Structure formats: structure tokens, C-alpha cells
């Protein structure tokens, strides 16, 4: 058996922290090796003579690439089973006696419906726990009901508060059953947020001191490590490339923005409200506009040509796409220029996704096209030195997580994030607002980081 590398110091600290407290929120950066820390803590727990099993609830895309691969690589003595649909296969995984059973987020409702008790499971691990930030979602309610059965409860996310501090409430409830942030979501929201009332609906904004209040409440069960502080990482750049729309296209953009309708050769595309309108404007910048039937009309291809030029001048790249027309056009140009490529799409099985990732890491493809929601968690794509956003996303969690696919442990070369935006449009504004969301979230995370440094001292 080949030698298994020892844990990094920060991984050992996280492992010890979990065993000492049993109920923990791990908010370390993507790429810091949170999965191995949890598995190591479980191994130590088993070595003390405990017999409990571990249930891991994670995105479908990382059940095998992250969890199973880490078990096989670092802890081959652990048996595992993937509980995937259909129901018969899922039940077989639980009945197998495997020490670690891995199931996807969307199966939380199935768990609640099929198991009133999971008596031989002592550990519940929720990877990328922001999937359960909505307290009214059925899958969140299901896990909240099941959580008290487990002695060890661990939530993990490097981006736990993509929008507001209240994103943490349901995640922390699973960890501590409501002890620190309160058992009632609405009462906690009234303490941490201020209602903003307009003519149509009420929104809630974080109070100025809400982040400090949140930190004070959860710090004793939280641990965080920043990637750059615990691993000697190479230089990492993040910069924008702004392009100008053609005169004709900019006129179409302005018409859509001002009149909420764009007349295309194929028909009319109507924007019924500001959210839909903004999305239409972003689609137009990206090269196409969709109608109500989901069909699109191409209006320009300059964006795809720019992305292709960037890919051609680099050894290996990952390209984020948001709409189906982008993937189709990017693949068309890749074929035209004989660029070896592959794509990760939502319809793929975990095995197909894992195979593409392995082949990309082996250097078989010059570029990998992927949707940030589908490939944003757990995957290691360090063969790439460049990650190109062909269009901006509003989702700060998707943005941060996807960028970490190339900038993580195992990366030895300088990396770059390239954000493409059309000047004088909504696109630069989206990137600016992303930066604002990330800065807000970073306040609490920096406090937790300071606490983790003090623990290590």
C-alpha cells in the first residue's frame, strides 16, 4: 500500500475541533480539504471503539469525486455506499452496512419519508449546506426533523451567507437545533434585519451590527481557515475584460432597456418586469435572446469568438457558461478551431461527470465548458490555469465556488479569473454587485478566521 500523506496542520485542527464539540459549522475556504478533516475525525471516533455510521448529504456532482475518492485515497479501511435513485438502490445502500453512506441534497425528503429513525447512524454531515438555507423548503424541513437523531452534526460551506446573515439560520439549526440563533426564524430575523417596505412587498436588510451579532452567537461552534493562510498558494489574479457592443447591438440593447421590448426578425421578446428585463438584457449581451417558449434568437457571436481566442492562447482553461446557446456556440467554435473540449451538463450521471474531470486533469482536453451551478462544488480542475466567465452571474455562491475549482490545493501555477463584460451595460454592474456581496460575507468569515488563528496559536 502506498504511503498516505499526513494531514495539513489546519486539517488536523479541524478534525480535533469536530471531535471535541460534536456539533460544528466548518466555513473554511473551498480547496482547504474540509472533506478529509471530517473523515479523519470519523476515523478517530471509530478507533475509540464507537460503532456509529456516517450519513453524508451533499450535491450529486461530488458524491463520488469528493467523498468516495477521498475515502479510497486516504481511508481505504472505510466502507462506503452511494444511495442514488431509484428508491430500491437507495435502500440497498442503507442496508449494506457501509460505514459511510452518501446521498444527494434532493433526497432529503426521501430520507424523512422512509426513515423515522436512523438508529445506527451517529454522524450527519451536510456538505455545501447552503442548499438548506431556505427554512421553508421541504428538504430543509426534512433534515431539521431528522437532525436530533445524530450525536455528531457537521455543516460545511466555504460560502455560507451568499445574500444575508439569515442564510445561516437554517444551517445552524441543523447543527445546534436552534440554540444559538434561536428556534424561530422570524424572531431571529426581527433581531438581525430591518424590514424595508415598498408598494409591492417587504424585503429585509441586515442591520449594521448583524454580522457581529451572528459571529458572537456561533463562534464557539465554528471553525474557518483561509486557503492562502494554510497552504502556500501561487499567485492568483482576478480581472475584467470589457468589450464594446457594436453600434447596432448597443442600439438594440438601449431599445430593450427603454421600451421593454426588442423586435427581432423571429418575433417579439417581452420583458414583463424588471427582473425579467434585466435577464433579457444580459442574454442580449451574451449573444442571444430567448422567447417565452425557451427558444432563442442569435444576435451576435463576438462574445464566443473572444472566449475562443482566449482559450486558444492558453494551455488549459475552464469556461463558465450560463445559457444553452452559449454552450452550443462555444462548442461549435471549438470544433471549427480543432480545440479539444468537453462539457459538464446537468443531465450527466456522477460517473460521467467524474470521467470527464479525470480526463481533463490528465490533459485530454484544452478547455472544459461547465455551468457553475452544475460543476461549482467539490470538483478539482487544477489542470486549468485560467477560468473564463463568458457572462456574469448574479449568484455570489456560484461565482466564488466555481472560481475555486482551479485555485485550490494541488494548484502549483499562477491562476487567473477572467470576467468578460460589455461596457455601458448591466454586465459590469453585476460584477460590482457580486464584489459587494462577497465583501459583506467576508466580514463574518474574517472574524471566524481570526478565532481559528487564535485557536491554533
Amino acid at each position: 500500500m502506498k504511503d498516505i500523506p499526513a494531514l495539513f496542520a489546519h486539517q488536523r485542527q479541524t478534525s480535533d475541533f469536530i471531535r471535541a464539540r460534536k456539533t460544528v459549522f466548518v466555513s473554511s475556504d473551498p480547496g482547504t480539504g474540509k472533506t478529509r478533516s471530517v473523515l479523519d475525525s470519523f476515523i478517530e471516533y471509530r478507533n475509540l471503539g464507537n460503532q456509529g455510521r456516517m450519513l453524508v448529504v451533499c450535491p450529486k456532482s461530488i458524491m463520488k469525486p469528493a467523498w468516495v475518492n477521498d475515502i479510497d485515497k486516504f481511508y481505504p479501511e472505510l466502507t462506503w455506499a452511494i444511495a442514488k435513485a431509484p428508491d430500491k438502490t437507495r435502500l440497498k445502500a442503507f442496508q449494506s452496512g457501509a460505514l459511510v453512506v452518501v446521498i444527494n441534497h434532493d433526497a432529503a425528503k426521501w430520507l424523512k419519508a422512509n426513515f423515522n429513525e436512523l438508529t445506527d447512524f451517529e454522524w450527519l454531515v451536510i456538505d455545501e449546506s447552503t442548499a438548506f438555507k431556505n427554512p421553508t423548503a421541504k428538504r430543509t424541513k426534512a433534515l431539521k426533523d431528522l437532525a436530533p437523531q445524530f450525536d455528531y452534526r457537521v455543516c460545511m460551506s466555504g460560502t455560507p451567507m451568499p445574500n444575508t446573515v439569515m442564510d445561516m439560520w437554517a444551517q445552524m439549526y441543523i447543527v445546534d437545533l436552534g440554540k444559538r440563533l434561536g428556534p424561530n426564524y422570524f424572531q431571529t430575523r426581527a433581531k438581525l434585519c430591518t424590514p424595508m417596505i415598498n408598494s409591492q412587498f417587504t424585503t429585509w436588510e441586515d442591520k449594521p451590527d448583524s454580522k457581529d451579532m451572528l459571529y458572537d452567537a456561533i463562534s464557539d461552534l465554528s471553525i474557518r481557515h483561509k486557503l492562502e493562510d494554510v497552504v502556500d498558494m501561487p499567485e492568483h489574479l482576478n480581472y475584467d475584460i470589457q468589450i464594446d457592443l457594436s453600434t447596432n447591438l448597443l442600439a438594440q440593447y438601449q431599445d430593450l432597456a427603454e421600451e421593454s421590448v426588442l423586435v427581432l426578425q423571429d418575433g417579439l421578446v417581452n420583458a414583463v418586469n424588471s427582473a425579467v428585463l434585466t435577464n433579457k438584457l444580459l442574454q442580449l449581451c451574451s449573444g442571444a435572446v430567448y422567447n417565452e417558449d425557451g427558444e432563442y434568437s442569435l444576435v451576435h457571436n463576438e462574445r464566443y469568438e473572444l472566449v475562443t481566442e482566449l482559450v486558444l492562447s492558453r494551455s488549459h482553461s475552464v469556461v463558465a457558461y450560463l445559457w444553452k446557446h452559449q454552450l452550443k456556440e462555444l462548442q461549435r467554435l471549438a470544433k471549427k478551431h480543432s480545440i479539444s473540449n468537453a462539457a459538464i451538463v446537468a443531465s450527466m450521471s456522477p460517473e460521467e461527470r467524474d470521467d470527464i474531470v479525470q480526463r481533463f486533469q490528465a490533459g485530454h482536453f484544452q478547455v472544459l465548458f461547465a455551468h457553475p451551478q452544475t460543476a461549482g462544488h467539490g470538483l478539482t480542475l487544477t489542470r486549468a490555469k485560467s477560468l473564463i466567465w463568458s457572462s456574469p452571474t448574479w449568484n455570489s455562491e456560484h461565482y466564488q465556488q466555481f472560481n475555486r475549482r482551479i485555485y485550490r490545493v494541488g494548484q502549483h501555477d499562477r491562476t487567473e479569473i477572467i470576467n468578460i463584460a460589455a461596457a455601458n451595460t448591466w454586465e459590469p454592474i453585476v460584477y460590482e454587485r457580486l464584489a459587494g456581496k462577497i465583501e459583506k460575507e467576508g466580514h463574518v468569515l474574517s472574524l471566524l478566521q481570526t478565532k481559528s488563528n487564535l485557536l491554533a496559536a
Side-chain angles (χ1 to χ4, degrees):
M1 182 183 295
K2 69 176 182 179
D3 292 337
I4 297 175
L7 273 73
F8 290 104
H10 71 278
Q11 290 177 311
R12 168 57 58 198
Q13 183 192 350
T14 301
S15 174
D16 293 343
F17 190 89
I18 293 170
R19 279 199 322 284
R21 286 162 178 78
K22 293 189 177 181
T23 54
V24 175
F25 197 102
V26 184
S27 59
S28 298
D29 276 346
T32 50
K34 296 188 290 292
T35 303
R36 189 178 180 192
S37 294
V38 173
L39 290 171
D40 181 81
S41 188
F42 181 61
I43 279 284
E44 293 294 331
Y45 157 88
R46 295 280 305 180
N47 289 342
L48 292 174
N50 298 296
Q51 299 300 310
R53 301 163 72 191
M54 174 189 285
L55 174 63
V56 176
V57 184
C58 68
K60 182 169 67 174
S61 61
I62 66 172
M63 290 192 296
K64 190 173 186 299
W67 284 95
V68 170
N69 285 1
D70 267 16
I71 291 172
D72 289 344
K73 182 177 180 180
F74 300 115
Y75 306 104
E77 66 269 36
L78 286 177
T79 54
W80 56 266
I82 294 180
K84 58 183 178 180
D87 291 354
K88 185 177 180 180
T89 305
R90 284 176 174 161
L91 285 171
K92 186 177 180 180
F94 282 88
Q95 295 166 353
S96 68
L99 295 178
V100 181
V101 176
V102 186
I103 197 167
N104 65 298
H105 286 157
D106 290 333
K109 294 178 289 183
W110 177 88
L111 277 172
K112 180 64 171 62
N114 287 272
F115 295 98
N116 290 324
E117 293 185 4
L118 289 160
T119 53
D120 53 346
F121 284 84
E122 294 289 333
W123 287 61
L124 173 65
V125 179
I126 315 297
D127 196 357
E128 303 303 344
S129 57
T130 49
F132 299 91
K133 69 179 184 290
N134 181 357
T136 63
K138 291 182 179 179
R139 64 182 177 184
T140 303
K141 292 179 178 179
L143 275 191
K144 283 175 60 183
D145 289 343
L146 290 170
Q149 300 181 30
F150 300 85
D151 286 343
Y152 288 77
R153 298 184 296 273
V154 181
C155 280
M156 307 160 57
S157 175
T159 52
M161 295 164 287
N163 299 301
T164 168
V165 295
M166 288 307 297
D167 287 344
M168 281 293 293
W169 183 85
Q171 298 175 73
M172 276 303 299
Y173 188 98
I174 294 171
V175 171
D176 73 349
L177 308 182
K179 293 178 181 178
R180 283 158 185 77
L181 295 184
N184 186 285
Y185 174 86
F186 300 103
Q187 291 178 359
T188 303
R189 186 178 66 179
K191 293 178 182 178
L192 299 181
C193 303
T194 301
M196 307 299 290
I197 302 173
N198 58 38
S199 59
Q200 295 180 337
F201 51 85
T202 300
T203 59
W204 293 80
E205 294 188 1
D206 294 348
K207 291 180 179 179
D209 59 348
S210 63
K211 300 171 188 64
D212 295 303
M213 293 170 64
L214 179 70
Y215 164 74
D216 290 340
I218 71 173
S219 61
D220 67 313
L221 293 187
S222 302
I223 187 166
R224 169 176 168 76
H225 292 100
K226 189 176 180 182
L227 180 64
E228 293 85 353
D229 291 345
V230 296
V231 180
D232 186 14
M233 293 297 295
E235 183 181 15
H236 182 62
L237 304 177
N238 189 316
Y239 60 93
D240 300 341
I241 294 181
Q242 287 210 7
I243 58 177
D244 294 321
L245 297 180
S246 67
T247 302
N248 180 55
L249 187 58
L250 186 58
Q252 288 181 303
Y253 179 94
Q254 292 170 343
D255 286 344
L256 179 58
E258 294 172 4
E259 301 177 18
S260 300
V261 65
L262 174 63
V263 179
L264 296 172
Q265 185 175 1
D266 303 72
L268 295 178
V269 177
N270 296 305
V272 296
N273 56 48
S274 58
V276 174
L277 171 59
T278 303
N279 201 42
K280 296 295 183 189
L281 292 170
L282 293 174
Q283 287 174 358
L284 178 60
C285 291
S286 76
V289 179
Y290 288 75
N291 61 26
E292 295 178 355
D293 297 324
E295 298 173 346
Y296 62 85
S297 301
L298 290 173
V299 291
H300 71 97
N301 62 359
E302 289 89 347
R303 179 71 56 96
Y304 321 122
E305 291 173 351
L306 171 60
V307 172
T308 302
E309 290 173 4
L310 292 171
V311 168
L312 279 168
S313 63
R314 287 157 172 81
S315 58
H316 295 89
S317 303
V318 174
V319 173
Y321 71 89
L322 301 182
W323 292 288
K324 60 184 180 182
H325 74 270
Q326 291 179 307
L327 176 59
K328 183 176 180 180
E329 291 303 307
L330 287 168
Q331 287 185 312
R332 180 184 64 81
L333 285 175
K335 182 178 180 180
K336 176 182 177 182
H337 291 276
S338 300
I339 302 172
S340 57
N341 71 94
I344 293 178
V345 298
S347 59
M348 281 181 172
S349 68
E351 292 77 15
E352 290 173 319
R353 187 181 292 108
D354 189 36
D355 177 64
I356 285 179
V357 169
Q358 290 184 28
R359 287 195 288 153
F360 178 76
Q361 287 291 88
H364 295 179
F365 309 117
Q366 185 175 354
V367 61
L368 178 65
F369 302 114
H371 194 288
Q373 185 173 2
T374 303
H377 294 110
L379 302 185
T380 295
L381 302 173
T382 48
R383 185 78 184 204
K385 316 309 173 194
S386 304
L387 190 149
I388 305 165
W389 285 87
S390 56
S391 294
T393 174
W394 285 105
N395 191 306
S396 64
E397 181 184 3
H398 291 171
Y399 183 77
Q400 293 179 82
Q401 290 279 0
F402 196 65
N403 287 346
R404 293 291 185 169
R405 296 314 99 211
I406 71 168
Y407 186 63
R408 57 196 295 109
V409 173
Q411 181 59 264
H412 303 293
D413 299 306
R414 190 193 78 158
T415 54
E416 60 178 357
I417 307 298
I418 304 173
N419 310 303
I420 300 177
N424 302 310
T425 71
W426 264 99
E427 288 191 320
I429 298 172
V430 175
Y431 285 120
E432 289 174 8
R433 294 192 179 178
L434 274 177
K437 286 183 179 180
I438 294 169
E439 183 178 5
K440 284 176 62 179
E441 182 181 39
H443 179 81
V444 175
L445 294 180
S446 65
L447 291 172
L448 294 175
Q449 173 66 26
T450 301
K451 171 179 172 293
S452 295
N453 289 341
L454 291 173
L455 284 172

